[in-house]
Amino acid sequence: MKHVALAAALAVLAQPALAQDKVTLILDWFVNPDHGPIIVAQEKGFFADEGLEVEVVAPADPADPPKLVAAGRADYAISYQPQLHLQVHEGLPLKRIGTLVATPLNCLMVKADGPVQDIADLKGRKIGYSVSGVEEALVGRILDTAGLTMDDVEMVNVNWSLAPALIAGQVDATIGAYRNFELTQMRLEGAEGRCFFVEEQGVPTYDELIFVANPANLDTDQARRLLSAVERGAQYMVNHPDEAWKLFSATAPDLRDELNAQAWKDTLPRFSQSPAALDQGRYARFETFLHQAGLVDAVLPVSDLALDVGAAQ
């Protein structure tokens, strides 16, 4: 009997391991602390535990990820809820299937000791931005809280040089700065910044970073497994923040600096602990906001924008 058992065991060992699903995930930008749960899930083997072999790719152009997914050239991408609404209205076949960062990171940033101490002080001043459309809508809603309109300010495209433009005095405020990065960047460059948080200034709250997929190509079981691994990554970060930081920062030399170390701490409480969960009201409210701002010509149902893969059994 022992020989039979041994032979059976050897036969099992001789069988090839089950093939893992190969998945491509395009990030929104180069790897940074915003992607913590993804990288931790990769390094801890959580994706492998779910039968997934995930290729995490940083894009050459941050505008490309949703387009690559829409075209069927990647399985999933990290994108932004505000942009998703516009892209769906433009006809891109995309849906949100998960949440990475569950709060806005965007803020209206000013110099702490500058001339703008409250929103009313923006009258007659310059506001720097990088991406037209949503950011202008955000500014419009923020100004409205102080009885101002877009005619009361001058919008200046500073490309991606938000903090440098503010420090140099080219603008009096910026929109599009991430509160978990640019405030520290300003401090490291010898200036102190201050954020007006968009969700405290009349803007409906939203998911900053989301997972998007092309619904025509979506394998919901695979998506659930992907998000389950990301959830384990987010939980590990909360439960073991120091170990998670060491794991994350060891993946690339340029991550081990003061800016990224502080960004890690500032981003940690903002990751979704239930990435597959969908807050339908959040998407409905932001869709209405964009319609009121004149950026979309109709209000789409949430089902056109987002999918609850956890419920799609």
Side-chain angles (χ1 to χ4, degrees):
M1 291 296 293
K2 291 182 179 179
H3 293 298
V4 173
L6 179 59
L10 290 174
V12 169
L13 291 173
Q15 292 175 357
L18 292 175
Q20 293 186 316
D21 289 350
K22 292 187 177 181
V23 171
T24 302
L25 172 61
I26 312 291
L27 301 179
D28 59 302
W29 199 245
F30 54 83
V31 174
N32 63 71
D34 288 347
H35 309 125
I38 296 170
I39 304 304
V40 169
Q42 187 81 290
E43 295 299 307
K44 292 291 291 181
F46 297 154
F47 289 130
D49 291 346
E50 294 289 345
L52 300 174
E53 181 182 329
V54 180
E55 181 185 9
V56 178
V57 181
D61 182 336
D64 285 346
K67 298 174 185 176
L68 292 171
V69 169
R73 294 170 57 192
D75 300 300
Y76 308 97
I78 301 301
S79 192
Y80 313 86
Q81 182 189 334
Q83 297 302 325
L84 171 71
H85 291 259
L86 300 185
Q87 289 160 348
V88 171
H89 277 275
E90 291 166 1
L92 283 184
L94 294 171
K95 284 191 181 181
R96 170 268 180 210
I97 57 131
T99 300
L100 180 61
V101 175
T103 77
L105 295 177
N106 198 347
C107 77
L108 189 138
M109 189 169 68
V110 300
K111 285 184 177 178
D113 59 354
V116 179
Q117 292 298 309
D118 57 45
I119 299 301
D121 294 333
L122 288 168
K123 185 177 177 63
R125 301 197 179 275
K126 296 178 180 180
I127 301 177
Y129 72 98
S130 299
V131 181
S132 61
V134 171
E135 290 185 354
E136 290 165 314
L138 298 179
V139 170
R141 178 61 65 91
I142 291 168
L143 292 173
D144 186 60
T145 64
L148 303 177
T149 70
M150 294 296 288
D151 293 334
D152 292 311
V153 300
E154 179 184 350
M155 298 296 292
V156 180
N157 191 330
V158 297
N159 294 313
W160 298 104
S161 298
L162 294 166
L166 183 59
I167 293 171
Q170 297 170 5
V171 295
D172 303 294
T174 63
I175 190 71
Y178 270 13
R179 63 192 69 170
N180 57 335
F181 274 95
E182 267 82 2
L183 283 176
T184 299
Q185 182 183 358
M186 285 193 67
R187 178 176 57 79
L188 293 176
E189 294 182 18
E192 287 295 328
R194 175 188 172 200
C195 266
F196 291 96
F197 303 122
V198 296
E199 69 274 22
E200 296 178 357
Q201 303 295 329
V203 175
T205 195
Y206 56 87
D207 297 334
E208 189 69 59
L209 292 179
I210 58 175
F211 295 82
V212 297
N214 183 332
N217 305 327
L218 181 64
D219 179 335
T220 54
D221 175 68
Q222 181 191 84
R224 278 194 294 270
R225 288 184 282 132
L226 178 83
L227 295 171
S228 177
V230 172
E231 181 176 300
R232 287 182 66 191
Q235 291 171 343
Y236 184 85
M237 289 173 63
V238 168
N239 292 336
H240 310 282
D242 294 338
E243 294 90 334
W245 164 246
K246 291 175 184 176
L247 194 70
F248 172 83
S249 61
T251 61
D254 57 355
L255 294 174
R256 296 191 291 272
D257 61 15
E258 187 177 350
L259 176 60
N260 282 290
Q262 186 60 48
W264 177 270
K265 296 177 183 177
D266 292 341
T267 316
L268 187 61
R270 300 184 180 277
F271 291 114
S272 173
Q273 292 294 305
S274 302
L278 171 62
D279 182 342
Q280 299 215 21
R282 176 172 290 199
Y283 283 75
R285 288 187 293 273
F286 204 82
E287 178 77 356
T288 299
F289 162 69
L290 293 176
H291 185 248
Q292 292 171 343
L295 288 182
V296 298
D297 57 8
V299 175
L300 295 175
V302 174
S303 58
D304 285 358
L305 301 163
L307 178 66
D308 185 343
V309 296
Q313 299 288 345

